[in-house]
Every structure is written in structure tokens, then in C-alpha cells.
């Protein structure tokens, strides 16, 4: 993990843009992105999302945390947040890549009744006996994602629920990883999920540190290692994500949004937003429109 600070962190590979849709997921074929890069997705990491790579046909050389393996059978590779990874595909490889933002996964955790542990560790799950079912799920999910049908988000979440339940069933009983790098990444995932539950409460950072069993100093150290910023900045990034989504996709006034995000007054919220976005929230909303 000593090279973490030199590894680029993308929203999606090769992009610095925010999420293109309000439902906080992205689905595309392997061909759609990989063919642009000569079928080679270089080593990188994602700080705010989990990816599911479904290899249906072809070959993939998968690098996860410095370890490489060649996969030729139909499989789903789970890539947890903050996991350093890269792919090299044989030309013409068929399959899909599903990217899931942590705020969305927190919703599924709540529905599931516990954290979906299968998404916290890198697994390569064979789908040989369910190949037709899994391909149908991914292809239908992509088709729905690309359309603007009635109740689109409800349909996307229904198919995603089916996929996550299937995946979780396959990995039940998997032994927990025990290496030091895995433990550090697990702590950061725990921190991210605690932020997801409390980011609107404006708790002191000592509360977050206590929740993950660290001192504030050690938490800041890990955040600089994984995110290249302080723990407070990670929290502020989550607030900004919700602020931007609300400004773009809801009709809440600035005062209503300020109250929703837990700010003491709208003026303070506007200063906070301008510091990170470079413009007042009102101007940001006008630009998005």
C-alpha cells in the first residue's frame, strides 16, 4: 500500500466527472470503455464506489492489489471501494461493468438488514451454473439504464437487488481476509459507511474515529493514504455530493436544502458550498439546468 498516493482515483476510468444519473449507479458493456483503451484498463482505484465486472465470454487478466490472475470462464469479479485494480481483456471480450456508489449500497444494506459483506472483499465468483440468468440480469439492467422508461429507478433497483442477493448467496461462508492491507481498507470502508449514516448530523470527527476504533490522528493518516485528504474533507465531499444532487434533481430551495443537510443557517451552507464548488449553490443549479 505504499504506492497508494501515486495511483489515480477516478469516478469512472478515464473520467473526473460526477455521477451522470440520480440513482448513483452506472452500467456499461466491457467493450464500451475498454475498446477505447486498447482493451487495457490500467491500475487505478475508486474511492466512492464498488464495481462488479461480469465476464461472459473471452479472457481477462485481472490485477487486484498487486496480484494477477487470468480468467477465462464466465465470472463476476467484485472490486471493493479503494481496491487497487486493473484489467487487460482479449479483444472482443463480452461482458458488463456495473459501478455502484456507496450511498446507493447503504440503501441496500438497510433493506438487507445488515451490511453486504460480499462487497467488502475482492472475490471472483464463477457463474457457470447460472450463466444465462446472470447475463439476462446484466443485459436487462443495461437496457433499462440506457432508457428513460416509466419507473426506471424502481426497475433498476429491483434487478440490482436480485443480483446482489444471488452474489451474496454464492459467497456466504467465505473466510475473511486477514492481511494488513485488507484490514486498513476495511476500516476505511467502515468509515465511509458510518459517514453515510450520519453525514447530515455534523458530528465531531472524534465520534467517527471512535466508531471505527481509531484515534483522530490515525484516521486522518489513513484518509490521506487512501483519499489524499483529511477525514474531515472526506465527510465534506459526501455533503457536497448530496448538495449537488439535490440542487440538480430536486426543487428544494437553498434554505430547505441547508436545513436538510443539517446546516445551522443557509448563509453558512452557501459559504461551505462555494468553498468546494467555486460558485454559490444558486449559480450551480442554474448551470446544471
Amino acid at each position: 500500500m505504499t504506492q497508494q498516493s501515486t495511483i489515480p482515483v477516478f469516478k469512472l476510468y478515464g473520467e473526473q466527472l460526477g455521477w451522470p444519473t440520480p440513482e448513483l449507479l452506472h452500467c456499461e458493456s466491457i467493450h464500451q470503455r475498454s475498446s477505447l483503451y486498447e482493451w487495457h484498463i490500467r491500475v487505478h482505484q475508486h474511492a466512492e464506489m464498488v464495481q462488479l465486472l461480469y465476464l461472459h465470454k473471452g479472457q481477462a487478466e485481472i490485477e487486484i492489489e498487486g496480484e494477477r490472475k487470468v480468467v477465462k470462464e464466465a465470472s463476476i469479479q467484485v472490486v471493493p471501494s479503494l481496491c487497487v485494480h486493473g484489467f487487460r481483456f482479449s479483444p472482443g471480450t463480452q461482458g458488463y461493468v456495473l459501478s455502484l456508489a456507496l450511498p446507493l449500497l447503504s440503501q441496500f444494506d438497510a433493506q438487507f438488514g445488515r451490511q453486504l459483506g460480499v462487497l467488502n472483499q475482492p472475490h471472483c465468483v464463477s457463474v457457470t451454473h447460472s450463466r444465462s440468468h446472470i447475463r439476462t440480469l446484466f443485459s436487462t439492467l443495461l437496457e433499462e439504464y440506457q432508457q428513460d422508461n416509466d419507473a426506471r429507478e424502481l426497475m433498476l433497483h429491483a434487478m440490482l437487488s436480485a443480483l446482489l442477493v444471488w452474489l451474496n448467496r454464492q459467497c456466504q461462508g467465505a473466510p475473511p481476509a486477514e492481511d494488513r492491507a485488507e484490514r486498513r481498507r476495511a476500516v476505511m470502508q467502515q468509515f465511509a459507511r458510518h459517514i453515510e449514516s450520519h453525514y447530515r448530523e455534523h458530528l465531531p470527527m472524534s465520534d467517527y474515529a471512535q466508531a471505527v476504533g481509531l484515534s483522530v490522528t490515525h484516521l486522518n493518516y489513513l484518509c490521506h493514504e487512501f483519499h489524499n485528504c483529511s477525514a474531515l474533507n472526506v465527510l465534506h465531499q459526501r455533503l457536497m455530493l448530496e448538495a449537488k444532487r439535490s440542487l440538480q434533481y430536486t426543487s428544494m430551495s437553498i434554505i430547505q436544502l441547508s436545513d436538510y443537510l443539517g446546516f445551522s443557517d443557509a448563509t453558512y451552507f452557501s459559504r461551505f458550498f462555494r468553498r468546494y464548488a467555486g460558485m454559490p449553490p444558486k449559480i450551480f443549479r442554474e448551470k446544471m439546468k
Side-chain angles (χ1 to χ4, degrees), residues 69 76-80 117-125 171 174-175:
K69 60 186 174 184
I76 295 177
Q77 174 67 55
V78 179
V79 183
V118 64
L119 302 180
N120 291 338
Q121 299 176 26
H123 299 282
C124 190
V125 183
C171 297

Side-chain angles (χ1 to χ4, degrees), residues 37 49 57 60 67 70 78 81 86 92 96 104 120 122 124 157 164 178 190 198 208 214-215 233 246 257 259 277:
Y37 298 95
M49 70 182 181
K57 185 178 181 181
E67 296 186 4
V70 175
V78 179
S81 62
Y96 303 87
L104 175 63
N120 291 338
C124 190
H157 286 194
L164 292 178
E178 296 182 355
Q190 186 182 357
H198 301 285
Y208 287 98
L214 299 177
S215 67
N233 196 259
S246 298
L257 178 55
D259 184 63

Side-chain angles (χ1 to χ4, degrees), residues 35-48:
S35 61
L36 301 176
Y37 298 95
E38 299 181 339
W39 299 92
H40 184 197
I41 303 299
R42 299 181 184 279
V43 171
H44 63 290
Q45 65 180 166
H46 305 285
E48 301 170 351

